[in-house]
């Protein structure tokens, strides 16, 4: 015979009433604590959370949605590529979202297609997300959507209107400036720049940082070199530099991506130019793999984790406290990783040898 209702309660999943009984509070208090509502004392909140943990109680998501009007999920619009930078940023966004207690929904987009971006946002809104993160770095033209939830634009300016807009940079301008200043500090008269694709916001930020460093030192600004983030484009740029016998002033290059920097170094060495004895090279991103190439690559490390956590912190605040001002944002850290691909220019090296002779 089947057991009567309540006879086998010890084997069933714990309920909010069980949490209330163990904590010695009302079921209403349990509901307020688990839905993060106000008007609950710290002591009562601690008791409820301890009881819920002891019993292994999980608040039913449907109940949470009904109680708060939120779904407990955040959507991410991400570029559909697997480059180190975009993949690392998405990884840290995922961790930050989950650590904030939200579920993650990701929609990838075609390369810089505004129609694809609009469709990705609409797809997330149809799923009922509480907020949206846009880490798409190549938005082109007007994205014809109106979003009624908060939106975090991470590493790019706002591309469409939203109920509340949060912007968070990844410090590309400051990192590019630090990379350029490192080479100038070594004594190089100027620094050439191998830029990424012009459609990317990251490319523009890095060019501006490079130019700002040169201008601050009164250094000549050489013509830009163009790449597409790939090692092959770096190789082509390095080959062009090494082949230009009319310009012997090239002693330092700042590449907008680590992979382009590696291709550049390979081309220079194939052409008989030594790195760093003849030409110094700095990359950008901080891919740890390139600590183990020859020579080990000097680079600036993008603060993916710090930017993602700070951005998600602000987005969650906008979701959960829509009527309050956003807290101040912390600037992402600037980290220069000096390795073996940079050195003083040949003229400085010759003077050092003469002094030590």
């Amino acid at each position: 015979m089947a057991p009567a209702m309540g006879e086998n309660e010890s084997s069933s999943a714990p309920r909010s009433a069980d949490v209330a009984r163990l904590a010695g509070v009302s079921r209403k208090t349990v509901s307020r604590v688990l839905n993060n509502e106000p008007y609950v004392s710290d002591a009562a909140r601690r008791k409820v959370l301890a009881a819920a943990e002891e019993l292994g109680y999980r608040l039913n998501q449907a109940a949470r949605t009904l109680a708060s009007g939120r779904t407990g999920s955040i959507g991410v619009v991400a570029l559909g590529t697997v480059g180190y930078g975009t993949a690392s940023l998405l990884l840290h966004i995922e961790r930050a979202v989950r650590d904030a207690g939200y579920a993650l929904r990701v929609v990838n987009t075609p390369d810089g297609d505004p129609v694809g971006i609009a469709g990705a946002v609409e797809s997330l809104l149809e799923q009922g997300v509480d907020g949206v993160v846009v880490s798409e770095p190549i938005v082109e033209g007007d994205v014809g959507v109106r979003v009624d939830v908060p939106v975090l634009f991470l590493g790019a300016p706002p591309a469409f209107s939203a109920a509340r807009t949060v912007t968070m940079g990844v410090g590309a301008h400051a990192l590019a400036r630090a990379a350029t200043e490192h080479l100038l500090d070594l004594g190089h008269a100027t620094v050439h720049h191998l830029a990424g694709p012009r459609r990317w916001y990251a490319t523009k930020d890095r060019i501006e940082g490079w130019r700002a460093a040169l201008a601050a030192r009164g250094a000549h600004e050489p013509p830009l070199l163009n790449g597409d983030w790939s090692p092959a484009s770096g190789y082509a740029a390095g080959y062009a530099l090494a082949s230009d016998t009319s310009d012997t002033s090239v002693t330092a290059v700042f590449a907008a991506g680590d992979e382009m920097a590696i291709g550049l170094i390979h081309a220079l060495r194939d052409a008989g130019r030594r790195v760093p004895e003849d030409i110094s090279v700095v990359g950008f991103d901080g891919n740890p793999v390139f600590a183990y190439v020859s020579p080990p690559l000097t680079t600036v490390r993008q603060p993916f984790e710090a930017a993602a956590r700070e951005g998600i912190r602000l987005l969650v605040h906008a979701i959960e406290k829509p009527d309050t001002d956003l807290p101040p944002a912390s600037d992402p850290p600037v980290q220069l990783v000096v390795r073996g691909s940079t050195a003083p220019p040949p003229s400085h090296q010759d003077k050092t040898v003469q002094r030590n002779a």
Side-chain angles (χ1 to χ4, degrees):
M1 184 174 65
M5 184 72 71
E7 289 184 54
N8 203 25
E9 285 186 356
S10 61
S11 63
S12 61
R15 300 169 301 171
S16 61
D18 301 319
V19 176
R21 188 179 304 111
L22 181 59
V25 299
S26 68
R27 293 182 63 177
K28 180 61 177 176
T29 297
V30 170
S31 175
R32 284 176 173 168
V33 170
L34 296 179
N35 283 293
N36 201 27
E37 296 177 6
Y39 312 119
V40 179
S41 69
D42 290 341
R45 191 177 301 275
R46 286 194 296 269
K47 288 180 181 179
V48 170
L49 293 176
E53 182 176 2
E54 181 178 338
L55 293 172
Y57 175 80
R58 292 185 178 181
L59 180 62
N60 179 272
Q61 185 59 52
R64 183 191 298 273
T65 300
L66 290 172
S68 66
R70 299 193 296 267
T71 64
S73 64
I74 289 175
V76 179
V77 178
L79 179 65
T81 65
V82 291
Y84 173 77
T86 51
S88 296
L89 185 57
L90 181 58
L91 171 66
H92 289 295
I93 291 172
E94 177 183 10
R95 290 176 177 173
V97 167
R98 296 195 186 283
D99 287 349
Y102 284 75
L104 182 73
R105 305 184 189 279
V106 179
V107 178
N108 290 320
T109 61
D111 188 350
D113 177 9
V115 176
I117 295 168
V121 173
E122 293 288 359
S123 173
L124 291 171
L125 295 177
E126 288 173 1
Q127 297 177 57
V129 296
D130 298 325
V132 174
V133 180
V134 178
S135 63
E136 159 65 62
I138 326 174
V139 177
E140 295 180 333
D142 180 42
V143 178
V145 294
R146 174 67 172 88
V147 182
D148 58 0
V149 298
V151 177
L152 165 65
F153 292 94
L154 192 54
F160 49 82
S161 59
R164 195 168 193 183
T165 298
V166 182
T167 58
M168 183 70 197
V170 294
H173 183 284
L175 291 169
R177 184 162 184 161
T180 308
E181 289 174 343
H182 167 65
L183 293 166
L184 295 173
D185 289 343
L186 288 171
H188 295 274
T190 190
V191 178
H192 287 64
H193 181 43
L194 172 54
R198 286 300 189 98
R199 296 178 301 140
W200 287 59
Y201 291 119
T203 296
K204 299 173 185 177
D205 286 343
R206 293 169 208 191
I207 290 174
E208 290 175 0
W210 165 71
R211 283 178 170 158
L214 294 181
R217 302 292 183 89
H220 165 68
E221 181 182 312
L224 277 171
L225 301 165
N226 296 308
D228 61 7
W229 305 127
S230 71
S233 68
Y235 189 95
Y239 184 82
L241 281 176
S243 301
D244 187 1
T245 57
S246 65
D247 186 0
T248 59
S249 65
V250 181
T251 64
V253 182
F254 160 47
D258 286 344
E259 294 189 12
M260 291 195 300
I262 294 303
L264 177 81
I265 291 172
H266 188 40
L268 294 174
R269 294 174 69 174
D270 282 354
R273 308 292 289 275
R274 299 171 300 168
V275 176
E277 292 85 356
D278 298 325
I279 300 180
S280 290
V281 178
V282 176
F284 191 108
D285 269 343
N287 189 330
V289 170
F290 298 130
Y292 302 98
V293 297
S294 180
L297 181 64
T298 295
T299 186
V300 281
R301 182 171 293 150
Q302 287 213 67
F304 297 118
E305 180 176 7
R309 289 199 173 278
E310 185 69 355
I312 295 303
R313 180 180 74 88
L314 297 176
L315 179 63
V316 169
H317 181 99
I319 292 170
E320 298 182 352
K321 301 177 181 179
D323 298 325
T324 63
D325 293 335
L326 290 173
S330 301
D331 293 329
V334 174
Q335 186 175 3
L336 174 70
V337 183
V338 180
R339 301 193 183 109
S341 66
T342 53
S347 59
H348 284 55
Q349 296 172 28
D350 294 342
K351 292 176 182 178
T352 302
V353 170
Q354 291 173 6
R355 285 197 300 268
N356 295 335

